């Protein structure tokens, strides 16, 4: 059974998270991914820790499986020549250098297109290739701040908060995948490669979705609501007898069932709460009524009742509880792979479940420069030439 992207070759110049996360997904789908790292130090995330396992950082391991790693000095003329050999039969180059860096190296899209007219170049930056901020560095944290995401995250009376993972990087990686797959489809019909300009700020603003629309259409400044939803009620964290849980009532029918379970049938036809709109407008009086009833029983009992009556709900798991949850395990979201230094390396599984071309973990996250010699030999270099390159700090 073949893999969805089998035969697609990617040269990955990216590092940290957005680019590597994108290329890992493409690698999971079967693409050949050659990760090119700086000839003296490599991807920064190799050093981001603890934790480290046998010298490998957990951060690096999370986004670099199904790749080969080679080192290369792109500032050296011989290094550029090696890069040319790699590009001429590749499909995609992914890079996240600062705007203009590839052009300064003589390796921008115009040059790549001369070497390979079908090449697709995906360029990831903080702020994009145009605009007044194009030359500024843009890490995930900065983007969470500047996109408005932090200002709507956290308790109403508290400080703005970032999300617990580098969500702007993750979203950007996903958008970059979409762009690359779209460009491959376009090339299939036209024979043309193209350049994809992806900005973390653009991607995070797009991911504001309904909150952005609330502002653009409603002309009101969205505020922090803690664990409440700006457009739906009741849709938040509630305290129960032995802790907390999320209850997410998404429509009026669910609300009626929810009220019956709580023995609050009188709320169903109360004009203050009969529709979602009225519930949102009267949230301040509704929530205390619901909260009083929910304190009367445990998480386990409430979950059983809510599940029986199709009321969306869930416990607030720790990460350890998540990775031991029977549903998570049944969906193979924890996988074990081989690694030369780490016995039974555990990684997060892929959420992509394709019936005809399933995802497969074929390669462990590579050691720094692990396949350098092998890749060079594949494009025609001899052992003597490779030895000389190492001597000259080309690799």
């Amino acid at each position: 059974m073949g893999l969805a992207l089998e035969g697609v070759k990617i040269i990955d110049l990216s590092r940290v998270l957005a680019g590597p996360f994108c290329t890992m997904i493409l690698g999971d789908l079967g693409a050949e991914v050659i990760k090119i790292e700086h000839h003296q130090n490599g991807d920064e995330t190799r050093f981001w820790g603890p934790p480290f396992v046998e010298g490998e950082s957990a951060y690096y391991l999370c986004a670099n499986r199904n790749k080969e790693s080679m080192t290369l000095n792109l500032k050296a003329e011989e290094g550029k020549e090696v890069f040319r050999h790699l590009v001429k039969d590749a499909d995609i180059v992914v890079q996240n250098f600062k705007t203009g860096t590839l052009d300064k190296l003589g390796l921008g899209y115009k040059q790549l297109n001369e070497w390979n007219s079908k090449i697709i170049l995906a360029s990831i930056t903080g702020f994009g290739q145009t605009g007044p901020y194009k030359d500024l560095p843009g890490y995930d944290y900065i983007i969470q701040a500047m996109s408005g995401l932090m200002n709507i995250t956290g308790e109403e009376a508290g400080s703005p908060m970032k999300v617990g993972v580098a969500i702007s990087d993750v979203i950007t990686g996903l958008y970059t995948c979409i762009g690359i797959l779209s460009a491959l489809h376009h090339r299939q019909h036209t024979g043309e490669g193209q350049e994809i300009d992806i900005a973390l700020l653009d991607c995070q603003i797009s991911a504001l979705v309904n909150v952005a629309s609330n502002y653009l259409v409603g002309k009101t400044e969205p505020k922090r609501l803690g664990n409440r939803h700006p457009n739906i009620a009741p849709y938040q964290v509630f305290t129960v007898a032995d802790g907390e849980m999320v209850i997410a009532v998404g429509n009026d029918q669910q609300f009626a069932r929810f009220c019956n379970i709580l023995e609050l049938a009188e709320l169903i036809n109360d004009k203050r709460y009969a529709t979602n709109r009225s519930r949102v407008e009267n949230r301040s009086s509704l929530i205390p009524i619901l909260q009083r009833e929910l304190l009367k029983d445990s998480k386990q009992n409430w979950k059983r009742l809510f599940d029986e009556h199709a009321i969306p709900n869930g416990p607030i798991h720790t990460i350890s509880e998540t990775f031991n949850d029977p549903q998570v395990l049944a969906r193979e979201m924890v996988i074990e792979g081989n690694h030369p230094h780490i016995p039974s390396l555990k990684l997060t599984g892929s959420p992509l479940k394709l019936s005809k071309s399933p995802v497969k973990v074929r390669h462990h996250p590579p050691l720094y420069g692990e396949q350098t010699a092998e890749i060079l030999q594949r494009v025609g270099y001899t052992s003597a030439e490779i030895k000389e390159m190492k001597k000259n700090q080309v690799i």
Side-chain angles (χ1 to χ4, degrees):
M1 189 178 294
L3 299 171
L5 295 181
E6 195 169 325
V8 173
K9 181 177 178 179
I10 299 170
I11 309 302
D12 183 9
L13 298 175
S14 70
R15 64 258 188 251
V16 186
L17 187 56
F21 186 66
C22 165
T23 54
M24 181 184 73
I25 294 169
L26 298 171
D28 283 354
L29 290 166
E32 175 190 353
V33 181
I34 297 175
K35 180 180 180 72
I36 295 182
E37 302 188 64
H38 191 277
H39 66 294
Q40 292 178 330
N41 43 45
D43 190 323
E44 293 97 309
T45 62
R46 289 183 179 276
F47 312 101
W48 286 7
F52 294 93
V53 185
E54 299 298 330
E56 299 290 298
S57 79
Y59 201 119
Y60 167 78
L61 293 171
C62 84
N64 286 287
R65 66 174 177 240
N66 282 331
K67 303 177 188 181
E68 298 176 294
S69 170
M70 72 172 292
T71 60
L72 191 61
N73 182 357
L74 291 173
K75 292 183 178 180
E77 288 305 315
E78 195 173 358
K80 293 176 185 179
E81 180 62 16
V82 171
F83 188 64
R84 184 182 71 82
H85 281 294
L86 294 170
V87 167
K88 67 183 182 181
D89 66 345
D91 297 287
I92 301 146
V93 173
V94 178
Q95 65 98 7
N96 64 349
F97 294 121
K98 287 179 64 176
T99 298
T101 298
L102 272 193
D103 288 322
K104 290 176 184 176
L105 291 170
L107 302 174
Y109 178 68
K110 183 179 179 181
Q111 181 61 70
L112 300 186
N113 187 252
E114 289 180 8
W115 294 340
N116 179 352
S117 63
K118 294 185 177 182
I119 199 72
I120 294 163
L121 173 62
S123 297
I124 303 170
T125 55
F127 300 98
Q129 304 292 316
T130 59
Y133 302 160
K134 66 182 178 64
D135 296 319
L136 298 178
Y139 283 107
D140 172 274
Y141 205 160
I142 305 304
I143 300 305
Q144 289 199 41
M146 293 182 67
S147 67
L149 179 63
M150 284 182 64
N151 201 52
I152 60 168
T153 304
E155 293 297 330
E156 188 171 1
S159 299
M161 297 290 291
K162 74 177 183 68
V163 178
V165 297
I167 194 66
S168 300
D169 275 339
V170 171
I171 290 167
T172 300
L174 294 172
Y175 267 114
T176 307
C177 274
I178 294 168
I180 287 170
L181 295 174
S182 300
L184 283 171
H185 184 73
H186 173 84
R187 191 184 72 181
Q188 183 178 347
H189 290 279
T190 67
E192 299 173 334
Q194 61 180 296
E195 184 172 9
I196 305 168
D197 174 9
I198 298 282
L200 270 72
L201 182 62
D202 298 350
C203 294
Q204 184 56 71
I205 288 172
S206 175
L208 293 176
V209 288
N210 61 296
V211 173
S213 190
N214 289 349
Y215 169 74
L216 295 170
V217 175
K219 309 298 183 186
T220 57
E221 183 73 44
K223 297 179 181 178
R224 288 187 295 283
L225 295 172
N227 288 313
R228 295 174 292 162
H229 194 288
N231 302 108
I232 312 173
Y235 201 101
Q236 63 181 76
V237 172
F238 285 95
T239 303
V240 297
D242 59 349
E244 293 180 313
M245 65 187 301
V246 170
I247 301 169
V249 175
N251 57 52
D252 298 340
Q253 293 75 29
Q254 289 177 3
F255 182 68
R257 297 198 301 273
F258 181 56
C259 289
N260 284 324
I261 294 169
L262 268 59
E263 299 182 355
L264 293 171
E266 68 275 11
L267 301 182
I268 297 171
N269 295 315
D270 189 317
K271 65 181 181 180
R272 295 172 298 171
Y273 313 126
T275 66
N276 180 68
R277 178 172 181 168
S278 62
R279 290 193 294 275
V280 172
E281 290 172 347
N282 295 286
R283 192 198 313 256
S284 60
S285 61
L286 172 64
I287 299 306
I289 297 171
L290 303 176
Q291 182 61 84
R292 281 195 297 271
E293 294 303 312
L294 288 163
L295 283 169
K296 295 178 180 178
D297 212 335
S298 67
K299 284 184 286 187
Q300 183 178 0
N301 287 339
W302 283 129
K303 180 163 180 55
R304 177 180 54 79
L305 286 168
F306 295 151
D307 288 350
E308 287 174 359
H309 293 84
I311 305 297
N313 74 97
I316 301 173
H317 277 165
T318 64
I319 298 297
S320 61
E321 288 172 330
T322 295
F323 282 110
N324 286 284
D325 186 283
Q327 179 67 18
V328 174
L329 297 175
R331 296 288 292 175
E332 298 182 332
M333 289 307 298
V334 180
I335 59 173
E336 285 194 11
N338 296 320
H339 188 279
H341 296 165
I342 307 168
S344 301
L345 172 65
K346 287 189 176 181
L347 297 170
T348 304
S350 172
L352 298 171
K353 316 296 185 187
L354 283 70
S355 64
K356 300 295 184 182
S357 51
V359 164
K360 183 178 181 182
V361 177
R362 296 162 289 125
H363 305 301
H364 61 269
L367 305 177
Y368 174 54
E370 183 177 354
Q371 289 85 18
T372 301
E374 179 185 337
I375 294 167
L376 289 170
Q377 288 169 348
R378 288 205 302 257
V379 294
Y381 288 93
T382 66
S383 297
E385 288 171 324
I386 293 169
K387 184 176 181 181
E388 189 68 15
M389 281 188 210
K390 191 168 184 64
K391 178 183 176 182
N392 295 334
Q393 296 191 341
V394 175
I395 58 174

